[in-house]
Amino acid sequence: QVQLVESGGGLVQAGGSLRLSCAASGSTFSIRAMGWYRQAPGKQRELVATISNDGTMHYADSVKGRFTISRDNAKNIMYLQMNALKPEDTAVYYCKAVRTFDDYWGQGTQVTVSS
């Protein structure tokens, strides 16, 4: 199994920055890819960014050019650097780890962007 713990959320003004972290533990050697997702009140959970073991990254159109996903494989930590934040980025942000036959989610961290 894999355990995921997010941190770094908080309240920030529009235009500001935050960096989220996702610490993975357990059977981390079996992880094939990781990603960040978010869920705003009353909306479905949506993909924000993903990064695979070979370093391939993918971003939602809404965050391209503003958010950067990265991984420190030695420390088993994934990051999401969020710049130029907008009120519409307000959501609970979750990290996800994907293995061959299953996947795991963290508990989420709240990001609130005030206008």
Side-chain angles (χ1 to χ4, degrees), residues 2-107:
V2 175
Q3 294 78 43
L4 302 170
V5 178
E6 301 101 331
S7 61
L11 173 63
V12 64
Q13 288 187 333
S17 298
L18 282 175
R19 189 177 78 157
L20 305 183
S21 300
C22 173
S25 60
S27 301
T28 57
F29 63 90
S30 60
I31 295 174
R32 298 178 60 190
M34 297 185 72
W36 288 98
Y37 292 72
R38 67 187 181 186
Q39 187 166 19
K43 295 188 177 181
Q44 290 188 331
R45 191 171 298 188
E46 64 177 4
L47 180 148
V48 175
T50 61
I51 184 167
S52 61
N53 283 357
D54 66 1
T56 302
M57 293 171 282
H58 172 77
Y59 295 93
D61 288 342
S62 59
V63 306
K64 281 181 181 176
R66 300 188 298 124
F67 291 10
T68 302
I69 190 170
S70 61
R71 282 172 72 177
D72 183 333
N73 292 322
K75 296 181 179 179
N76 292 316
I77 300 177
M78 177 178 65
Y79 301 98
L80 184 68
Q81 178 65 45
M82 305 186 294
N83 298 328
L85 283 161
K86 304 175 181 179
E88 51 263 44
D89 294 319
T90 295
V92 178
Y93 283 69
Y94 298 90
C95 69
K96 178 181 179 180
V98 178
R99 304 199 304 179
T100 301
F101 297 112
D102 55 13
D103 49 63
Y104 294 85
W105 293 89
Q107 82 288 351

